[in-house]
Amino acid sequence: MDLHGPVYVAGHRGLVGSAIWRRLEAAGRTNLIGASSAELDLRDREATFAFLREHRPAVVIDAAARVGGILANRDHPTEFLSDNLRIQVNLMDAALEVRTPRLLFLGSSCIYPKYAAQPIHESSLLTGELEPTNDAYAIAKIAGIMQVQAVRRQYGLRWISAMPTNLYGPNDNFDPASSHVLPALIRRFHEAKVNGAEEVVLWGSGTPRREFLHVDDLADACLHLLEHYDAPEPINVGVGADVTIRELAELVARTVGYTGALSNDLSKPDGTPRKLLDVSRLLALGWKPSISLEDGVAATYRWYVENAR
């Protein structure tokens, strides 16, 4: 990666973008470019092109997306498809116009089929049906992978795409209706402890298995990939281990200090039965995660208590 050229982090105030920004600063990168959604709406094609023409970054990291938990994806598929397609297409088309030499597109593990063989290898892409509760978001991310590959093939630019597993950490969304499972559990158990609730109800059966990666580990992996990876195929980013949602809830309860009962609301969807990524290709590049789930949950809870409103 060009250590001296400007690096544009799209979505630099979100969960992923802010972690990447911190990691770049820690690595001594000072020529960083960021714009909030109020300053630049990436769904606005003309504004996006003007921004890239002005700054002409040497590296673009696309961490901008409309994201949400299982219910948000299920209830608002139109927005998840339309907004994410426009963000990606506008940003990549603008980066292509100014011939940005290096671009990292961040997708999601939801791109893989609902019943893909576990752990999920990158070759599973487009081999089966998607999970219906987030298929619109998944299709948008698959389109992003295709655009990266098309640009590489047609224009020879060294663009890459990475597929992270479930992420968590500081600056996460803790809204109970739109957040992902881990921050939702942190908030629910914290409020239950504060309010003295005798019981916390978990969505779904608690049996699906999920893999969780601290966002600071993802940020570290992103820099490693920009420096060591150059291939058209997407590459998985994860920890290579998973837990059940029930086990995760019990870990969060212990971390928060909640001692009440746990029950399940079976009317809520479970989603994909299991989603564990095969990260052998990433590990072969010399990278591995450094933050355990226990330590990461504890640090995220401390951040929530200190910062969430």
Side-chain angles (χ1 to χ4, degrees), residues 2 6-8 33 51-53 55-62 91-104 151-152 155-160 226:
D2 183 354
V7 180
Y8 170 41
I33 304 166
F51 186 85
L52 269 289
R53 288 170 188 149
H55 293 283
R56 296 187 173 271
V59 180
V60 169
I61 302 174
D62 183 6
L91 183 56
M92 285 197 244
D93 282 353
L96 176 60
E97 183 189 68
V98 300
R99 293 300 189 269
T100 299
R102 197 76 163 133
L103 181 144
L104 169 60
V151 167
R152 288 183 64 100
Y155 295 95
L157 296 177
R158 298 173 58 242
W159 292 11
I160 58 174
L226 284 166

Side-chain angles (χ1 to χ4, degrees), residues 153-168:
R153 184 167 61 246
Q154 187 171 349
Y155 295 95
L157 296 177
R158 298 173 58 242
W159 292 11
I160 58 174
S161 57
M163 302 300 114
T165 190
N166 300 289
L167 302 170
Y168 70 98

